[in-house]
Amino acid sequence: MATQFNQGAARAAPTFDPAAWLSVLVSIGGGYALASGRKLWLVVEECAAIDIEDLMRPLIGHPDRVEAVRTAIERRQNGGTL
């Protein structure tokens, strides 16, 4: 785990778990798909707006996390586990 220093004190940097993120999306009524060209589709029609805001916050401004979500979905589509 990475360590981040803040005002002289060490603390653990937050980590992102794409499988857990996808599980939360499904638990609030959403869904997902990876289309041709690795286009990521998030289905949120049945989700409450406040839930979506909280869920999307970790992805905004973090293309590496979006890529991690794509990779997790690809892995699952290819017979692996999340």
Side-chain angles (χ1 to χ4, degrees):
M1 181 181 294
T3 303
Q4 182 175 346
F5 291 94
N6 185 16
Q7 297 179 350
R11 65 181 174 94
T15 58
F16 178 74
D17 181 350
W21 188 90
L22 288 166
S23 293
V24 171
L25 173 62
V26 170
S27 74
I28 64 171
Y32 56 88
L34 197 58
S36 64
R38 297 186 78 235
K39 186 170 187 164
L40 179 60
W41 289 90
L42 302 176
V43 180
V44 297
E45 184 177 347
E46 300 297 322
C47 302
I50 189 75
D51 293 334
I52 293 303
E53 290 174 12
D54 291 342
L55 182 70
M56 294 306 293
R57 195 168 287 118
L59 294 185
I60 296 171
H62 295 279
D64 56 317
R65 293 178 179 181
V66 175
E67 182 59 29
V69 169
R70 281 190 185 104
T71 300
I73 296 170
E74 269 182 332
R75 205 172 292 138
R76 183 162 188 224
Q77 287 178 341
N78 291 328
T81 60
L82 282 177

